[in-house]
Amino acid sequence: MLLKALGFQSLAGEAKLRLVPSWPADALPPSTASLLSIASQKGLLAAAGPNAVVIASTEAVRKAFADKDGGDGNIRPFTPQLTLKLGMRISQVAFSADESFLVLSAEQGGGLAVYEVQSLIQGNTESAFQIATNGVALRMLLPNPTPERAELFAAVTVDGNLLIANLAARQFTSGAQGMTMKNGVSCVSWSARGKQLVAGLGNGTCYQMTPEGVRKAEIPTPPDIEGDQHVSAISWLENDVFLAAHTTSTQDEGLIPATTFRVISRQASPQTSYTYQKLPDPAPPFGMNRSPPYQFIQRLRNFPPNLSDVLVVASSASTDVGLLTRAETALSSDVDQAKITKVFTTTTMANDTRRAQLPMAEDLSDTSPIGMALDLSATEKVPRPLPNEEMDESNGPLPALMILNNEGLLASWWIVYAESIRQGTTYPGLTVAGPSQTQEQSTKSASPFASLAAQNTSAPFASNAFGTAPAQQNTFPSSSTPAFGNNSGSNNAFGASSALLSKPSPWGTGAATSISPQTAGATFGKPTFGSSTPFGAATGGAAFGAAGGLGNRPSPWGAPSVGTQNAGTALGQTASSGMGAGSTFGNSNANTASNTQQAVSGFASFAQGPGFAAAAAKQSGGESPFAKAGQGTSFGSGMEIGSDFGGTPKKSEAAPTSLFGGGGFAGSFKLGSTFK
């Protein structure tokens, strides 16, 4: 549907912001990486670059777009208020719904690092705690959308296991089948109230469940689907309405797999009948081939006067940003009104100047999104929102869309709903529209980590107003302190040994206690799926899913099992056995190099079987997919010894053999599949 009633307006013409450095062309982030997040109530933006995470006020970001004094051409320079110099690559960045926490996950080795936002505002660059994933990277990290359940995060591993992190308990929750709530998962979405989830699966079906793993419903594969297709994106729109994107699981040489969007509607009672409304792809695959295509979806609900839904869609394989809309009254007079009223339609702007597209690279090649977020913190009015009408500025602020691309450039557009501007209405989700649930929640209860943050460090920026109100200018300088309390200046990775400086990292070894394999209890890989023993249950240290302490326990960021950690292993040495000693930075076990080339993602058997668990059992005799932590990808594996910690992985070892980004356990099992 072509229309003029809705569109995008760039914040400052062709201007883009140099937010972070560019990624090397031969070492791009995984297609499922999500490296941009915005906390609108606090007016904060967090974004990950190749070896650092930057944090800035959204007001400073918007003002930088309009700054014409510096920069080269249309690229504006930008200095963030805070930089976490991690010296490593991040794959997931997300604020919690109450905006109290910022959670990061590493591209290699996974794990969760949890920062208290108020502590970051005060200049503290240490994480409050970490939760281990035993070396398995994540393909998705999704916070619960409600402030009252803000401690819950859904995490999907590259091997297709759905985990639920509870930040208040500082661990992954356990259900009837252990910590894995569902296997064979490719994507996930929370319900609007955050009480349930729906998981898109690798076999094309969807699975509705509680955060404890209790099954509520199964949504069958669309009847018109052809071939092997997985659910690459899903959004739970209403109790019985879902948006699902199905993408071809096989890949022809040089061709981007096709994606089909469908609105799935379920009969309310009994919940056994489904209808499928096929929609044109709002972001068709005409762009960089980062396969499999991964779709970013952001939603505006109840935009007065007549818009019920606006879904903004971007794809890792497209330069276009598209819209799916549902309106109470028709947005266009050129189409049969009944066909476009109160139903979802793919919406295209009639005027090319109202479309949103990713900027091209310097060599005029296509770029790809690596993060997308809505900025609802604006307080300023928008000049000339309707160019063909006599209106100097909007009555109030508008929602803004921000997209980070692989060149490290941030592009931003106002979302302009013409009828709303004419009638002088304001989108109710904007911070200026009034107190939100997030604000009300924050006034009722203090963060459970407030006392921890207070004791970590003094607050060098305590007097600064950074993040306290979007309307204030925040100008404290960038911090050069390395993240996670490392003051040596070596930018050590989480869990990596600082052997290059002959000084052990407090994040990679047990400073307070020394755990041996004989005394640590169960090690990773001993329990199997469905056993009563949790993954890596141990009596003497942090295990899979457990929180690591600040300096007195091994870091879960890609580190091996606590019971197998050997702090004495030197940089570059080979461990004597797979589980006898944990690899330090740059180490590998005997078969790691060869197995890295053979390993494929756990998604390999989704189209033919029940998912990753069955594939793992078939290949490894029933062992847990977390069984061989000693051979897993950890921080530093696949990198040139002697390179800086943010170095580019070797292409031969870093290039995934699966459409799903690889990672996880290189060599723990071998799967034959169409996912190649």
Side-chain angles (χ1 to χ4, degrees):
M1 178 176 65
L2 291 172
L3 54 81
K4 300 178 181 178
L6 187 66
F8 298 98
Q9 177 174 317
S10 177
L11 259 64
E14 298 295 323
K16 282 84 63 177
L17 213 62
R18 169 60 68 189
L19 190 63
V20 295
S22 176
W23 273 260
D26 60 348
L28 297 175
S31 63
T32 57
S34 180
L35 304 181
L36 178 68
S37 186
I38 292 177
S40 292
Q41 294 293 334
K42 284 186 168 62
L44 297 178
L45 175 150
N51 59 8
V53 172
V54 300
I55 301 171
S57 74
T58 52
E59 183 189 31
V61 169
R62 291 193 304 272
K63 287 185 175 180
F65 274 98
D67 184 8
K68 300 180 181 180
D69 294 336
D72 180 15
N74 292 321
I75 299 178
R76 308 281 191 262
F78 182 72
T79 302
Q81 281 98 333
L82 188 66
T83 300
L84 304 179
K85 295 185 177 180
L86 310 180
M88 60 183 300
R89 292 164 60 115
I90 299 298
S91 66
Q92 302 293 328
V93 177
F95 283 105
S96 61
D98 64 357
E99 304 182 357
S100 294
F101 316 112
L102 175 65
V103 183
L104 310 178
S105 185
E107 182 178 314
Q108 295 189 41
L112 302 180
V114 182
Y115 293 80
E116 191 185 36
V117 172
Q118 188 59 40
S119 184
L120 288 171
I121 291 172
Q122 295 173 343
N124 181 8
T125 58
E126 294 183 359
S127 63
F129 61 93
Q130 311 88 39
I131 305 177
T133 58
N134 195 31
V136 185
L138 301 184
R139 63 178 281 110
M140 192 170 190
L141 179 65
L142 189 68
N144 188 289
T146 61
E148 57 269 25
R149 297 179 181 85
E151 74 278 6
L152 299 181
F153 277 69
V156 181
T157 69
V158 294
D159 297 322
N161 294 304
L162 173 61
L163 312 172
I164 303 297
N166 187 318
L167 303 191
R170 304 188 180 190
Q171 63 183 6
F172 288 107
T173 60
S174 294
Q177 302 299 320
M179 291 184 182
T180 298
M181 300 302 172
K182 181 65 179 174
N183 54 38
V185 177
S186 51
C187 58
V188 70
S189 175
W190 290 95
S191 64
R193 296 182 179 180
K195 294 183 178 181
Q196 294 186 26
L197 308 95
V198 61
L201 305 186
N203 61 10
T205 64
C206 302
Y207 187 85
Q208 182 180 334
M209 57 188 287
T210 69
E212 294 74 34
V214 178
R215 174 192 176 276
K216 291 297 181 179
E218 292 187 35
I219 303 174
T221 302
D224 62 340
I225 206 167
E226 296 180 358
D228 297 332
Q229 297 191 26
H230 64 278
V231 184
S232 56
I234 191 165
S235 182
W236 194 337
L237 303 177
E238 294 177 359
N239 287 347
D240 297 302
V241 182
F242 310 85
L243 174 70
H246 286 83
T247 299
T248 302
S249 299
T250 56
Q251 182 180 14
D252 294 330
E253 188 69 26
L255 297 179
I256 302 175
T259 298
T260 302
F261 281 78
R262 293 176 179 87
V263 174
I264 304 175
S265 300
R266 177 172 56 197
Q267 180 179 323
S269 180
Q271 295 181 332
T272 56
S273 178
Y274 294 86
T275 59
Y276 302 83
Q277 176 196 357
K278 186 183 292 186
L279 296 171
D281 189 347
F286 303 116
M288 182 182 292
N289 190 351
R290 291 177 65 214
S291 292
Y294 174 78
Q295 292 79 29
F296 298 90
I297 301 176
Q298 292 291 330
R299 185 184 187 189
L300 295 173
R301 300 181 62 189
N302 301 321
F303 198 155
N306 299 311
L307 268 178
S308 302
D309 277 287
V310 178
L311 298 172
V312 185
V313 181
S315 169
S316 62
S318 179
T319 58
D320 294 323
V321 180
L323 295 176
L324 298 174
T325 60
R326 180 173 58 171
E328 295 299 312
T329 60
L331 295 176
S332 175
S333 59
D334 299 331
V335 183
D336 184 351
Q337 306 294 287
K339 293 182 179 180
I340 59 173
T341 303
K342 298 183 179 180
V343 296
F344 282 95
T345 60
T346 298
T347 302
T348 304
M349 277 57 72
N351 189 338
D352 287 345
T353 62
R354 287 296 189 177
R355 299 183 182 184
Q357 290 186 316
L358 268 69
M360 302 188 75
E362 291 184 4
D363 60 0
L364 301 182
S365 61
D366 293 328
T367 65
S368 175
I370 58 174
M372 182 174 81
L374 290 172
D375 176 17
L376 304 178
S377 66
T379 58
E380 63 269 30
K381 298 179 181 180
V382 177
R384 301 288 297 169
L386 304 175
N388 297 326
E389 300 185 20
E390 295 182 359
M391 183 179 296
D392 292 333
E393 60 184 13
S394 61
N395 188 56
L398 303 179
L401 175 71
M402 293 191 175
I403 296 181
L404 180 67
N405 72 359
N406 62 288
E407 294 278 302
L409 299 178
L410 185 71
S412 185
W413 303 265
W414 301 113
I415 299 176
V416 180
Y417 176 25
E419 196 59 32
S420 173
I421 292 174
R422 293 188 188 106
Q423 295 189 22
T425 61
T426 300
Y427 177 64
L430 291 168
T431 58
V432 298
S436 69
Q437 286 182 315
T438 302
Q439 289 174 316
E440 293 172 359
Q441 177 76 8
S442 64
T443 59
K444 291 179 182 178
S445 60
S447 165
F449 303 105
S451 59
L452 176 62
Q455 68 186 14
N456 281 344
T457 183
S458 59
F461 304 109
S463 60
N464 192 281
F466 174 53
T468 57
Q472 297 179 356
Q473 177 69 22
N474 306 298
T475 55
F476 65 74
S478 171
S479 169
S480 60
T481 305
F484 308 103
N486 175 13
N487 296 320
S488 65
S490 61
N491 293 337
N492 283 2
F494 313 120
S497 171
S498 53
L500 292 176
L501 298 178
S502 301
K503 180 180 179 181
S505 166
W507 300 93
T509 59
T513 58
S514 177
I515 308 299
S516 66
Q518 290 77 19
T519 61
T523 56
F524 292 117
K526 295 298 182 182
T528 58
F529 280 109
S531 69
S532 58
T533 307
F535 290 122
T539 60
F544 169 64
L550 294 174
N552 63 346
R553 291 182 182 178
S555 167
W557 287 77
S561 166
V562 172
T564 63
Q565 185 78 14
N566 186 346
T569 305
L571 175 68
Q573 287 186 342
T574 301
S576 59
S577 65
M579 294 300 295
S583 298
T584 55
F585 183 88
N587 289 359
S588 61
N589 290 314
N591 297 324
T592 299
S594 61
N595 287 339
T596 299
Q597 299 175 0
Q598 298 175 357
V600 295
S601 168
F603 286 99
S605 65
F606 284 179
Q608 293 80 23
F612 169 75
K618 180 178 179 181
Q619 297 296 332
S620 59
E623 279 190 321
S624 163
F626 302 110
K628 300 183 179 180
Q631 296 179 6
T633 305
S634 61
F635 289 101
S637 63
M639 291 188 181
E640 294 284 356
I641 301 300
S643 68
D644 65 291
F645 292 108
T648 302
K650 296 177 183 177
K651 188 171 183 180
S652 61
E653 295 183 6
T657 59
S658 162
L659 282 177
F660 288 89
F665 292 90
S668 56
F669 47 83
K670 178 182 178 182
L671 297 173
S673 168
T674 56
F675 285 87
K676 293 181 180 177

